[in-house]
Amino acid sequence: MLKTFKSGGVHPPENKISADAAIQSLPVPKRVYIMVTQHLGAPSVALVKKGDDVKTGQLIAKSAGFISANVHSPVTGKVFKVDDFIDQSGYRKPAIIIDAEEDTWVDGVDNSDEIIRDITLTKEQIIQRISDMGVVGLGGATFPTHVKMMIPDGKKAEFLIINGVECEPYLTSDHRLMVEKPEEILIGTTILMKALGVSKAMVGIENNKPDAIEKLSHIAKSFKGITVHPLKVKYPQGGEKQLIKALTGREVPSGKLPIETGCVVDNVGTAFAVYEAVQKNKPLIERVVTVTGMAAAKPSNFMVRIGAPVSELIEKAGGIPENLGKVVGGGPMMGKALMSLEAPIVKGSSGILLMPVEESRRVVIKPCIRCARCVSVCPMGLEPYLLAQVAKNEMWERAESERVMDCIECGSCHYTCPSGRPLLDYIRLGKNKVGQIIRSRGKK
Amino acid sequence: MNNVILVAVISLSAIGATSAVILYFVAQKFKIIEDPRIDEVEDVLPKANCGGCGYAGCRAFAEGIVKSGTLEGFFCPVGGNSVMSQVALIMGLVAEEKEPMIAVLRCNGSRTNAPAKINYDGPATCAFTHNLFSGESGCPHGCLGLGDCVAACTFGALYIDQNTGLPAVIADKCTACGACVKACPRKIFELRNRGKKDRRIFVCCVNEEKGAPAKKNCEVACIGCGKCVKACAYDAITMKNNLAYIDFEKCKLCRKCVEECPTGAIHELNFPPRKVKTTAPEETTGQNTPTEVTA
């Protein structure tokens, strides 16, 4: 029997309609909008000003603080301005807007397709390089990867887990990357193993991607210590705590990090970015983005420069459909609807989902019938109906003691609720408020 | 048989009597002498328990006054000056006259001024929506119109105007308790003085963006041009983060700034209509005005 995590989980329709679409390189956009802060942690500081000439791959915003990341220019051209620009939520955040002229890379970047297999750098050099090249977790949380590589004192990493689960319906960016760049991903994995000082790495892939499993298992035979594990299809297996449970049977304690169980989890996209950063000296300036959805004319996977406007991707995938209801950044379970199509692609964008009108409407909210389906599907063992209610009633202390901060916002409760109650929305509100309260407590 | 009843009555009476004596001494020992003025002060307070004074309720407010023995820093916004003078009488102090205040909504992003660009159908609470996105109109500072303030008002002084989609203040009912100020995640409400004859002038916008993006989302946004600052003869207007603010303590209600404002972001309330200059050339050549005059 295939492995999976035990408690909770749902199985929404997979709808991987773009699974067979090979990754196409999107032409370099004419104007890119690069958010200065695209990662989790301290905001970066812009290094360029209006009128500056920049080259592709040049450092344009520097990390500020321990948990922070560098940002590089994805194009060659002139800085149009350094100003606030709307992000995917519609709020204006500091951004660097560059008019692209051509595509000349900075010196020292290997831009060929040749695969470099020998790892020459030492452990410290690898971590430094990952940090310099602005690599962050590409699974969606955008946690700076170099910070993950630095194991805190007293802890020891045993396993590296590579997350190729891609449990969100519709999204296929990781899937296509595994099919098209399997060797690069495994070299990246080996580099990460070296940086962590571990001898074992496990690649977890859900069973609905047989071609990726076959390719990676085949190539993994020539890599030492890397094993590929097919997993039963169940959402949210791509959550790092769920994946650790599925592969090792270990459970991350409440409020703790995965390193407590001796595991470090990285996405396949991150492993690829690490390969490019370490072996090819290439900063993270592009990523694979799936443009899909029942309303999309041509569901596709694109290799996109960071900072390209979302509208440009939709244009390339067949344009804006007539029956478009919502454009969601990310997958249908965890993604958020976009406020504006002018918003740019950031390091954490994994997909753009075009939903037709009839699919995008919320259902009528009915009273809770106490069926406890949300409790049974919660992968974190929480009581979503209760958390939503206490958040609605502004009982923040109760929300904290009911472990609202453990919620991974997977949306399984919201998906399964027969009364269509907006459970996750209220839990997010609770998490936000309780998070603020906890942080203010730390300051006193 | 009689004997049993007698024994019971006597023994129970004895226990009762001893307990009464013990309780009397205990009560003397642990007696709490409470200032009777606390009750008196509480009696004159409105007992709305709204928390507008900064205390947990009217009782806590009364205790605060009596214990500190001063009225400095104490003001019941609901009762206003009349209640405070009664409190002062009880305390033998003099109450400082305060100008009556009112909650003012500093946003005019109505359905026509700031049309919705998208349609939001999620939970109708401002606190959640504010965290999620910038709002239907795209203005990241403006009113979301979902009524967290209306829910917070204990005096029924707020309602959502169905035409504008914005909350409206019922001046007679508003006590300036400040509940709406706290409830609004975007800090749009402000407590301002009611002004003479209820006349007020204020900047009806809280958008701190630069002019162009602010105007893009809302017709009547403050664009931070600074014309009002120059027009004000009393230094009442300050400009901070592309947003003008009128200090109501300095404002002399001359209405110069209202005329200057190019976007109409400065509002005047309860003023008599201005004298129309009949000789103004724009009006005589205007295409709409003649028909109105003849009709």
Side-chain angles (χ1 to χ4, degrees), chain A residues 83 89-92 326 336 339 342 361-362 422 425-426 428-429 432, chain B residues 121-123 125 128 130-135 138 140 186 209-210:
Chain A
D83 197 3
S89 69
Y91 283 110
R92 300 176 74 84
K326 245 180 211 174
K336 288 177 183 170
M339 176 64 202
E342 289 169 43
R361 294 258 162 80
R362 284 196 185 229
D425 293 334
Y426 279 106
R428 272 185 178 151
L429 172 66
N432 203 297
Chain B
D121 58 358
T125 105
F128 170 71
H130 173 65
N131 286 333
L132 185 68
F133 78 125
S134 57
R186 297 193 157 175
E209 291 175 307
K210 284 178 189 158

PDB file of all heavy atoms in Angstrom, chain A residues 83 89-92 326 336 339 342 361-362 422 425-426 428-429 432, chain B residues 121-123 125 128 130-135 138 140 186 209-210:
ATOM      1  N   ASP A  83       9.260  52.723  -7.018  1.00  0.00           N
ATOM      2  CA  ASP A  83       8.029  53.295  -6.478  1.00  0.00           C
ATOM      3  C   ASP A  83       7.153  52.159  -5.971  1.00  0.00           C
ATOM      4  O   ASP A  83       7.427  50.991  -6.226  1.00  0.00           O
ATOM      5  CB  ASP A  83       7.310  54.058  -7.598  1.00  0.00           C
ATOM      6  CG  ASP A  83       6.256  55.015  -7.043  1.00  0.00           C
ATOM      7  OD1 ASP A  83       6.141  55.101  -5.803  1.00  0.00           O
ATOM      8  OD2 ASP A  83       5.572  55.651  -7.852  1.00  0.00           O
ATOM      9  N   SER A  89      -2.567  41.352  -3.826  1.00  0.00           N
ATOM     10  CA  SER A  89      -3.696  41.641  -2.955  1.00  0.00           C
ATOM     11  C   SER A  89      -4.250  43.039  -3.193  1.00  0.00           C
ATOM     12  O   SER A  89      -5.226  43.427  -2.573  1.00  0.00           O
ATOM     13  CB  SER A  89      -3.268  41.503  -1.495  1.00  0.00           C
ATOM     14  OG  SER A  89      -2.368  42.537  -1.174  1.00  0.00           O
ATOM     15  N   GLY A  90      -3.630  43.803  -4.078  1.00  0.00           N
ATOM     16  CA  GLY A  90      -4.121  45.139  -4.375  1.00  0.00           C
ATOM     17  C   GLY A  90      -3.485  46.225  -3.522  1.00  0.00           C
ATOM     18  O   GLY A  90      -3.715  47.393  -3.743  1.00  0.00           O
ATOM     19  N   TYR A  91      -2.705  45.826  -2.525  1.00  0.00           N
ATOM     20  CA  TYR A  91      -1.999  46.823  -1.721  1.00  0.00           C
ATOM     21  C   TYR A  91      -0.731  47.245  -2.449  1.00  0.00           C
ATOM     22  O   TYR A  91      -0.113  46.454  -3.151  1.00  0.00           O
ATOM     23  CB  TYR A  91      -1.638  46.254  -0.349  1.00  0.00           C
ATOM     24  CG  TYR A  91      -2.807  46.207   0.596  1.00  0.00           C
ATOM     25  CD1 TYR A  91      -3.365  45.004   0.978  1.00  0.00           C
ATOM     26  CD2 TYR A  91      -3.349  47.380   1.091  1.00  0.00           C
ATOM     27  CE1 TYR A  91      -4.454  44.963   1.842  1.00  0.00           C
ATOM     28  CE2 TYR A  91      -4.432  47.358   1.952  1.00  0.00           C
ATOM     29  CZ  TYR A  91      -4.969  46.141   2.329  1.00  0.00           C
ATOM     30  OH  TYR A  91      -6.043  46.122   3.174  1.00  0.00           O
ATOM     31  N   ARG A  92      -0.360  48.495  -2.246  1.00  0.00           N
ATOM     32  CA  ARG A  92       0.853  48.987  -2.905  1.00  0.00           C
ATOM     33  C   ARG A  92       2.051  48.733  -2.014  1.00  0.00           C
ATOM     34  O   ARG A  92       2.057  49.098  -0.846  1.00  0.00           O
ATOM     35  CB  ARG A  92       0.705  50.474  -3.221  1.00  0.00           C
ATOM     36  CG  ARG A  92      -0.462  50.766  -4.130  1.00  0.00           C
ATOM     37  CD  ARG A  92      -0.623  52.242  -4.339  1.00  0.00           C
ATOM     38  NE  ARG A  92       0.404  52.742  -5.217  1.00  0.00           N
ATOM     39  CZ  ARG A  92       0.326  52.690  -6.541  1.00  0.00           C
ATOM     40  NH1 ARG A  92      -0.725  52.184  -7.122  1.00  0.00           N
ATOM     41  NH2 ARG A  92       1.302  53.158  -7.292  1.00  0.00           N
ATOM     42  N   LYS A 326     -13.137  34.608 -11.895  1.00  0.00           N
ATOM     43  CA  LYS A 326     -12.117  34.959 -10.920  1.00  0.00           C
ATOM     44  C   LYS A 326     -10.756  34.543 -11.451  1.00  0.00           C
ATOM     45  O   LYS A 326     -10.648  33.526 -12.133  1.00  0.00           O
ATOM     46  CB  LYS A 326     -12.365  34.164  -9.629  1.00  0.00           C
ATOM     47  CG  LYS A 326     -12.729  35.006  -8.436  1.00  0.00           C
ATOM     48  CD  LYS A 326     -12.961  34.140  -7.233  1.00  0.00           C
ATOM     49  CE  LYS A 326     -13.997  34.770  -6.327  1.00  0.00           C
ATOM     50  NZ  LYS A 326     -14.381  33.947  -5.222  1.00  0.00           N
ATOM     51  N   LYS A 336      -5.402  32.848  -3.522  1.00  0.00           N
ATOM     52  CA  LYS A 336      -6.273  33.983  -3.262  1.00  0.00           C
ATOM     53  C   LYS A 336      -6.586  34.656  -4.591  1.00  0.00           C
ATOM     54  O   LYS A 336      -5.710  34.758  -5.455  1.00  0.00           O
ATOM     55  CB  LYS A 336      -5.576  34.980  -2.331  1.00  0.00           C
ATOM     56  CG  LYS A 336      -5.480  34.478  -0.910  1.00  0.00           C
ATOM     57  CD  LYS A 336      -4.730  35.467  -0.038  1.00  0.00           C
ATOM     58  CE  LYS A 336      -4.583  34.899   1.358  1.00  0.00           C
ATOM     59  NZ  LYS A 336      -3.694  35.672   2.199  1.00  0.00           N
ATOM     60  N   MET A 339      -6.530  40.873  -7.152  1.00  0.00           N
ATOM     61  CA  MET A 339      -7.231  42.150  -7.164  1.00  0.00           C
ATOM     62  C   MET A 339      -7.110  42.778  -8.553  1.00  0.00           C
ATOM     63  O   MET A 339      -8.029  43.408  -9.047  1.00  0.00           O
ATOM     64  CB  MET A 339      -6.600  43.042  -6.100  1.00  0.00           C
ATOM     65  CG  MET A 339      -7.113  44.437  -6.024  1.00  0.00           C
ATOM     66  SD  MET A 339      -8.821  44.498  -5.549  1.00  0.00           S
ATOM     67  CE  MET A 339      -9.244  46.106  -6.191  1.00  0.00           C
ATOM     68  N   GLU A 342      -2.743  43.564 -13.357  1.00  0.00           N
ATOM     69  CA  GLU A 342      -1.466  44.280 -13.522  1.00  0.00           C
ATOM     70  C   GLU A 342      -0.414  43.747 -12.556  1.00  0.00           C
ATOM     71  O   GLU A 342       0.766  43.984 -12.723  1.00  0.00           O
ATOM     72  CB  GLU A 342      -1.647  45.769 -13.212  1.00  0.00           C
ATOM     73  CG  GLU A 342      -2.432  46.537 -14.230  1.00  0.00           C
ATOM     74  CD  GLU A 342      -2.771  47.916 -13.693  1.00  0.00           C
ATOM     75  OE1 GLU A 342      -1.892  48.544 -13.086  1.00  0.00           O
ATOM     76  OE2 GLU A 342      -3.919  48.343 -13.862  1.00  0.00           O
ATOM     77  N   ARG A 361     -18.415  31.479  -7.961  1.00  0.00           N
ATOM     78  CA  ARG A 361     -19.347  32.017  -6.966  1.00  0.00           C
ATOM     79  C   ARG A 361     -19.257  31.242  -5.662  1.00  0.00           C
ATOM     80  O   ARG A 361     -19.125  30.021  -5.666  1.00  0.00           O
ATOM     81  CB  ARG A 361     -20.786  31.911  -7.492  1.00  0.00           C
ATOM     82  CG  ARG A 361     -21.047  32.780  -8.684  1.00  0.00           C
ATOM     83  CD  ARG A 361     -21.811  34.041  -8.283  1.00  0.00           C
ATOM     84  NE  ARG A 361     -21.697  35.063  -9.318  1.00  0.00           N
ATOM     85  CZ  ARG A 361     -22.423  35.070 -10.423  1.00  0.00           C
ATOM     86  NH1 ARG A 361     -23.300  34.134 -10.622  1.00  0.00           N
ATOM     87  NH2 ARG A 361     -22.265  36.022 -11.301  1.00  0.00           N
ATOM     88  N   ARG A 362     -19.425  31.959  -4.577  1.00  0.00           N
ATOM     89  CA  ARG A 362     -19.511  31.288  -3.284  1.00  0.00           C
ATOM     90  C   ARG A 362     -20.909  30.727  -3.121  1.00  0.00           C
ATOM     91  O   ARG A 362     -21.868  31.284  -3.652  1.00  0.00           O
ATOM     92  CB  ARG A 362     -19.238  32.281  -2.164  1.00  0.00           C
ATOM     93  CG  ARG A 362     -17.781  32.591  -2.043  1.00  0.00           C
ATOM     94  CD  ARG A 362     -17.525  33.247  -0.724  1.00  0.00           C
ATOM     95  NE  ARG A 362     -16.136  33.660  -0.641  1.00  0.00           N
ATOM     96  CZ  ARG A 362     -15.361  33.391   0.383  1.00  0.00           C
ATOM     97  NH1 ARG A 362     -15.826  32.718   1.403  1.00  0.00           N
ATOM     98  NH2 ARG A 362     -14.116  33.802   0.414  1.00  0.00           N
ATOM     99  N   PRO A 422     -17.795  29.838   5.621  1.00  0.00           N
ATOM    100  CA  PRO A 422     -16.449  30.337   5.308  1.00  0.00           C
ATOM    101  C   PRO A 422     -15.486  30.102   6.478  1.00  0.00           C
ATOM    102  O   PRO A 422     -15.009  31.035   7.100  1.00  0.00           O
ATOM    103  CB  PRO A 422     -16.677  31.818   5.045  1.00  0.00           C
ATOM    104  CG  PRO A 422     -17.883  32.163   5.845  1.00  0.00           C
ATOM    105  CD  PRO A 422     -18.726  30.931   5.948  1.00  0.00           C
ATOM    106  N   ASP A 425     -11.763  31.469   6.166  1.00  0.00           N
ATOM    107  CA  ASP A 425     -11.686  32.932   6.198  1.00  0.00           C
ATOM    108  C   ASP A 425     -11.609  33.430   7.633  1.00  0.00           C
ATOM    109  O   ASP A 425     -10.777  34.266   7.977  1.00  0.00           O
ATOM    110  CB  ASP A 425     -12.899  33.537   5.499  1.00  0.00           C
ATOM    111  CG  ASP A 425     -12.897  33.241   4.013  1.00  0.00           C
ATOM    112  OD1 ASP A 425     -11.804  33.035   3.469  1.00  0.00           O
ATOM    113  OD2 ASP A 425     -13.972  33.208   3.408  1.00  0.00           O
ATOM    114  N   TYR A 426     -12.511  32.900   8.478  1.00  0.00           N
ATOM    115  CA  TYR A 426     -12.516  33.356   9.864  1.00  0.00           C
ATOM    116  C   TYR A 426     -11.291  32.838  10.621  1.00  0.00           C
ATOM    117  O   TYR A 426     -10.770  33.522  11.497  1.00  0.00           O
ATOM    118  CB  TYR A 426     -13.817  32.953  10.556  1.00  0.00           C
ATOM    119  CG  TYR A 426     -14.923  33.905  10.214  1.00  0.00           C
ATOM    120  CD1 TYR A 426     -15.933  33.537   9.337  1.00  0.00           C
ATOM    121  CD2 TYR A 426     -14.930  35.197  10.730  1.00  0.00           C
ATOM    122  CE1 TYR A 426     -16.936  34.431   8.986  1.00  0.00           C
ATOM    123  CE2 TYR A 426     -15.916  36.095  10.388  1.00  0.00           C
ATOM    124  CZ  TYR A 426     -16.926  35.714   9.516  1.00  0.00           C
ATOM    125  OH  TYR A 426     -17.894  36.608   9.170  1.00  0.00           O
ATOM    126  N   ARG A 428      -8.368  32.411   9.331  1.00  0.00           N
ATOM    127  CA  ARG A 428      -7.272  33.304   8.927  1.00  0.00           C
ATOM    128  C   ARG A 428      -7.318  34.597   9.721  1.00  0.00           C
ATOM    129  O   ARG A 428      -6.285  35.110  10.149  1.00  0.00           O
ATOM    130  CB  ARG A 428      -7.364  33.609   7.431  1.00  0.00           C
ATOM    131  CG  ARG A 428      -6.651  32.594   6.583  1.00  0.00           C
ATOM    132  CD  ARG A 428      -6.678  33.012   5.133  1.00  0.00           C
ATOM    133  NE  ARG A 428      -5.939  32.049   4.316  1.00  0.00           N
ATOM    134  CZ  ARG A 428      -6.210  31.792   3.048  1.00  0.00           C
ATOM    135  NH1 ARG A 428      -7.199  32.410   2.449  1.00  0.00           N
ATOM    136  NH2 ARG A 428      -5.493  30.929   2.373  1.00  0.00           N
ATOM    137  N   LEU A 429      -8.530  35.123   9.913  1.00  0.00           N
ATOM    138  CA  LEU A 429      -8.671  36.338  10.722  1.00  0.00           C
ATOM    139  C   LEU A 429      -8.158  36.078  12.137  1.00  0.00           C
ATOM    140  O   LEU A 429      -7.407  36.872  12.702  1.00  0.00           O
ATOM    141  CB  LEU A 429     -10.147  36.764  10.758  1.00  0.00           C
ATOM    142  CG  LEU A 429     -10.522  37.894  11.715  1.00  0.00           C
ATOM    143  CD1 LEU A 429      -9.864  39.187  11.283  1.00  0.00           C
ATOM    144  CD2 LEU A 429     -12.025  38.086  11.792  1.00  0.00           C
ATOM    145  N   ASN A 432      -4.389  35.792  12.225  1.00  0.00           N
ATOM    146  CA  ASN A 432      -3.789  37.106  12.087  1.00  0.00           C
ATOM    147  C   ASN A 432      -3.791  37.870  13.410  1.00  0.00           C
ATOM    148  O   ASN A 432      -2.764  38.405  13.840  1.00  0.00           O
ATOM    149  CB  ASN A 432      -4.598  37.863  11.032  1.00  0.00           C
ATOM    150  CG  ASN A 432      -3.800  38.958  10.402  1.00  0.00           C
ATOM    151  OD1 ASN A 432      -3.407  39.884  11.084  1.00  0.00           O
ATOM    152  ND2 ASN A 432      -3.534  38.832   9.122  1.00  0.00           N
TER     153      ASN A 432
ATOM    154  N   ASP B 121     -17.206  38.597  -2.521  1.00  0.00           N
ATOM    155  CA  ASP B 121     -18.357  37.893  -1.961  1.00  0.00           C
ATOM    156  C   ASP B 121     -17.966  37.042  -0.748  1.00  0.00           C
ATOM    157  O   ASP B 121     -18.655  36.102  -0.388  1.00  0.00           O
ATOM    158  CB  ASP B 121     -19.056  37.031  -3.026  1.00  0.00           C
ATOM    159  CG  ASP B 121     -18.115  36.001  -3.645  1.00  0.00           C
ATOM    160  OD1 ASP B 121     -16.931  35.993  -3.277  1.00  0.00           O
ATOM    161  OD2 ASP B 121     -18.573  35.209  -4.479  1.00  0.00           O
ATOM    162  N   GLY B 122     -16.865  37.397  -0.126  1.00  0.00           N
ATOM    163  CA  GLY B 122     -16.430  36.654   1.055  1.00  0.00           C
ATOM    164  C   GLY B 122     -17.135  37.145   2.314  1.00  0.00           C
ATOM    165  O   GLY B 122     -18.110  37.885   2.228  1.00  0.00           O
ATOM    166  N   PRO B 123     -16.644  36.730   3.485  1.00  0.00           N
ATOM    167  CA  PRO B 123     -17.284  37.128   4.736  1.00  0.00           C
ATOM    168  C   PRO B 123     -17.343  38.648   4.881  1.00  0.00           C
ATOM    169  O   PRO B 123     -16.375  39.346   4.586  1.00  0.00           O
ATOM    170  CB  PRO B 123     -16.373  36.541   5.816  1.00  0.00           C
ATOM    171  CG  PRO B 123     -15.590  35.498   5.133  1.00  0.00           C
ATOM    172  CD  PRO B 123     -15.478  35.878   3.707  1.00  0.00           C
ATOM    173  N   THR B 125     -16.889  41.084   6.935  1.00  0.00           N
ATOM    174  CA  THR B 125     -16.318  41.796   8.071  1.00  0.00           C
ATOM    175  C   THR B 125     -15.097  42.563   7.594  1.00  0.00           C
ATOM    176  O   THR B 125     -14.284  42.036   6.839  1.00  0.00           O
ATOM    177  CB  THR B 125     -15.919  40.874   9.248  1.00  0.00           C
ATOM    178  OG1 THR B 125     -14.495  40.743   9.251  1.00  0.00           O
ATOM    179  CG2 THR B 125     -16.515  39.509   9.152  1.00  0.00           C
ATOM    180  N   PHE B 128     -11.436  41.124   8.507  1.00  0.00           N
ATOM    181  CA  PHE B 128     -10.905  40.065   7.639  1.00  0.00           C
ATOM    182  C   PHE B 128     -10.534  40.615   6.263  1.00  0.00           C
ATOM    183  O   PHE B 128      -9.457  40.370   5.742  1.00  0.00           O
ATOM    184  CB  PHE B 128     -11.937  38.940   7.499  1.00  0.00           C
ATOM    185  CG  PHE B 128     -11.565  37.941   6.457  1.00  0.00           C
ATOM    186  CD1 PHE B 128     -10.512  37.080   6.666  1.00  0.00           C
ATOM    187  CD2 PHE B 128     -12.244  37.884   5.251  1.00  0.00           C
ATOM    188  CE1 PHE B 128     -10.147  36.160   5.693  1.00  0.00           C
ATOM    189  CE2 PHE B 128     -11.888  36.970   4.278  1.00  0.00           C
ATOM    190  CZ  PHE B 128     -10.839  36.113   4.505  1.00  0.00           C
ATOM    191  N   HIS B 130      -9.790  43.573   5.321  1.00  0.00           N
ATOM    192  CA  HIS B 130      -8.629  44.462   5.347  1.00  0.00           C
ATOM    193  C   HIS B 130      -7.331  43.651   5.245  1.00  0.00           C
ATOM    194  O   HIS B 130      -6.385  44.070   4.587  1.00  0.00           O
ATOM    195  CB  HIS B 130      -8.656  45.287   6.640  1.00  0.00           C
ATOM    196  CG  HIS B 130      -7.432  46.103   6.858  1.00  0.00           C
ATOM    197  ND1 HIS B 130      -7.092  47.140   6.030  1.00  0.00           N
ATOM    198  CD2 HIS B 130      -6.452  46.029   7.787  1.00  0.00           C
ATOM    199  CE1 HIS B 130      -5.956  47.670   6.453  1.00  0.00           C
ATOM    200  NE2 HIS B 130      -5.555  47.020   7.515  1.00  0.00           N
ATOM    201  N   ASN B 131      -7.305  42.485   5.906  1.00  0.00           N
ATOM    202  CA  ASN B 131      -6.114  41.645   5.816  1.00  0.00           C
ATOM    203  C   ASN B 131      -5.979  40.989   4.454  1.00  0.00           C
ATOM    204  O   ASN B 131      -4.890  40.660   4.022  1.00  0.00           O
ATOM    205  CB  ASN B 131      -6.164  40.529   6.871  1.00  0.00           C
ATOM    206  CG  ASN B 131      -5.888  41.053   8.244  1.00  0.00           C
ATOM    207  OD1 ASN B 131      -5.205  42.060   8.397  1.00  0.00           O
ATOM    208  ND2 ASN B 131      -6.433  40.402   9.244  1.00  0.00           N
ATOM    209  N   LEU B 132      -7.113  40.758   3.812  1.00  0.00           N
ATOM    210  CA  LEU B 132      -7.101  39.991   2.567  1.00  0.00           C
ATOM    211  C   LEU B 132      -6.666  40.812   1.364  1.00  0.00           C
ATOM    212  O   LEU B 132      -5.787  40.417   0.615  1.00  0.00           O
ATOM    213  CB  LEU B 132      -8.501  39.415   2.326  1.00  0.00           C
ATOM    214  CG  LEU B 132      -8.635  38.482   1.141  1.00  0.00           C
ATOM    215  CD1 LEU B 132      -7.882  37.195   1.404  1.00  0.00           C
ATOM    216  CD2 LEU B 132     -10.090  38.182   0.863  1.00  0.00           C
ATOM    217  N   PHE B 133      -7.271  41.960   1.174  1.00  0.00           N
ATOM    218  CA  PHE B 133      -6.972  42.740  -0.033  1.00  0.00           C
ATOM    219  C   PHE B 133      -7.348  44.202   0.163  1.00  0.00           C
ATOM    220  O   PHE B 133      -7.835  44.598   1.213  1.00  0.00           O
ATOM    221  CB  PHE B 133      -7.637  42.120  -1.269  1.00  0.00           C
ATOM    222  CG  PHE B 133      -9.115  42.397  -1.396  1.00  0.00           C
ATOM    223  CD1 PHE B 133      -9.625  42.982  -2.547  1.00  0.00           C
ATOM    224  CD2 PHE B 133      -9.978  42.063  -0.379  1.00  0.00           C
ATOM    225  CE1 PHE B 133     -10.979  43.230  -2.672  1.00  0.00           C
ATOM    226  CE2 PHE B 133     -11.340  42.309  -0.502  1.00  0.00           C
ATOM    227  CZ  PHE B 133     -11.833  42.888  -1.650  1.00  0.00           C
ATOM    228  N   SER B 134      -7.105  44.992  -0.886  1.00  0.00           N
ATOM    229  CA  SER B 134      -7.219  46.433  -0.723  1.00  0.00           C
ATOM    230  C   SER B 134      -8.658  46.934  -0.757  1.00  0.00           C
ATOM    231  O   SER B 134      -8.906  48.091  -0.448  1.00  0.00           O
ATOM    232  CB  SER B 134      -6.416  47.130  -1.813  1.00  0.00           C
ATOM    233  OG  SER B 134      -6.871  46.712  -3.079  1.00  0.00           O
ATOM    234  N   GLY B 135      -9.593  46.110  -1.133  1.00  0.00           N
ATOM    235  CA  GLY B 135     -10.984  46.564  -1.176  1.00  0.00           C
ATOM    236  C   GLY B 135     -11.507  46.611  -2.593  1.00  0.00           C
ATOM    237  O   GLY B 135     -10.728  46.639  -3.552  1.00  0.00           O
ATOM    238  N   GLY B 138     -10.251  49.339  -4.793  1.00  0.00           N
ATOM    239  CA  GLY B 138      -8.811  49.358  -4.996  1.00  0.00           C
ATOM    240  C   GLY B 138      -8.109  50.341  -4.091  1.00  0.00           C
ATOM    241  O   GLY B 138      -6.889  50.345  -4.004  1.00  0.00           O
ATOM    242  N   PRO B 140      -6.501  51.392  -0.918  1.00  0.00           N
ATOM    243  CA  PRO B 140      -6.029  50.614   0.224  1.00  0.00           C
ATOM    244  C   PRO B 140      -6.278  51.275   1.573  1.00  0.00           C
ATOM    245  O   PRO B 140      -6.013  50.691   2.609  1.00  0.00           O
ATOM    246  CB  PRO B 140      -4.525  50.486  -0.032  1.00  0.00           C
ATOM    247  CG  PRO B 140      -4.192  51.672  -0.849  1.00  0.00           C
ATOM    248  CD  PRO B 140      -5.399  52.009  -1.662  1.00  0.00           C
ATOM    249  N   ARG B 186      -9.113  50.378   9.415  1.00  0.00           N
ATOM    250  CA  ARG B 186      -8.382  51.347   8.599  1.00  0.00           C
ATOM    251  C   ARG B 186      -8.305  52.719   9.245  1.00  0.00           C
ATOM    252  O   ARG B 186      -7.857  53.678   8.619  1.00  0.00           O
ATOM    253  CB  ARG B 186      -9.009  51.432   7.207  1.00  0.00           C
ATOM    254  CG  ARG B 186      -8.901  50.100   6.498  1.00  0.00           C
ATOM    255  CD  ARG B 186      -9.194  50.186   5.047  1.00  0.00           C
ATOM    256  NE  ARG B 186      -8.558  49.055   4.374  1.00  0.00           N
ATOM    257  CZ  ARG B 186      -8.697  48.770   3.112  1.00  0.00           C
ATOM    258  NH1 ARG B 186      -9.464  49.510   2.356  1.00  0.00           N
ATOM    259  NH2 ARG B 186      -8.079  47.753   2.580  1.00  0.00           N
ATOM    260  N   GLU B 209      -1.568  57.692  -0.264  1.00  0.00           N
ATOM    261  CA  GLU B 209      -0.826  57.452  -1.501  1.00  0.00           C
ATOM    262  C   GLU B 209      -0.549  58.782  -2.191  1.00  0.00           C
ATOM    263  O   GLU B 209      -1.149  59.803  -1.876  1.00  0.00           O
ATOM    264  CB  GLU B 209      -1.655  56.573  -2.439  1.00  0.00           C
ATOM    265  CG  GLU B 209      -1.809  55.163  -1.953  1.00  0.00           C
ATOM    266  CD  GLU B 209      -2.732  54.371  -2.847  1.00  0.00           C
ATOM    267  OE1 GLU B 209      -3.850  54.821  -3.099  1.00  0.00           O
ATOM    268  OE2 GLU B 209      -2.345  53.306  -3.285  1.00  0.00           O
ATOM    269  N   LYS B 210       0.338  58.724  -3.207  1.00  0.00           N
ATOM    270  CA  LYS B 210       0.588  59.924  -3.996  1.00  0.00           C
ATOM    271  C   LYS B 210      -0.657  60.244  -4.819  1.00  0.00           C
ATOM    272  O   LYS B 210      -1.528  59.391  -4.994  1.00  0.00           O
ATOM    273  CB  LYS B 210       1.776  59.680  -4.917  1.00  0.00           C
ATOM    274  CG  LYS B 210       3.092  59.733  -4.172  1.00  0.00           C
ATOM    275  CD  LYS B 210       4.244  59.441  -5.102  1.00  0.00           C
ATOM    276  CE  LYS B 210       5.516  59.282  -4.309  1.00  0.00           C
ATOM    277  NZ  LYS B 210       6.506  58.512  -5.041  1.00  0.00           N
TER     278      LYS B 210
END
